[in-house]
Amino acid sequence: MAYCRFGRDSDVYVYAIEGGVECCRCRLLDGRWFKAPDAAQMMEHLLAHRAAGHRVPESALDELRQELAA
Ligand SMILES: [Zn+2]
């Protein structure tokens, strides 16, 4: 399941994997993959993207927030 994909409103591609959440071809890591063990750490990672000026759809953060609340 993808939280968001590369596109007009997104500079990140984030999806759930076995045992965590992955940021595909991460711009913060020169195109390498970032793997977070849980939604909370992916949330922090996406906020770091925003701090760097990258576009992160609010809907992706909302979905992660919902998982944290579940
Ligand atoms: Zn990333």
Side-chain angles (χ1 to χ4, degrees), residues 9-48:
D9 64 340
S10 177
D11 291 323
V12 292
Y13 184 7
V14 175
Y15 47 83
I17 55 165
E18 187 73 31
V21 189
E22 208 159 63
C23 181
C24 174
R25 297 204 298 271
C26 180
R27 288 192 181 188
L28 291 174
L29 297 176
D30 294 326
R32 293 196 297 275
W33 270 246
F34 173 81
K35 184 182 169 186
D38 55 35
Q41 290 192 41
M42 181 50 76
M43 189 95 143
E44 277 183 33
H45 180 76
L46 291 179
L47 293 176

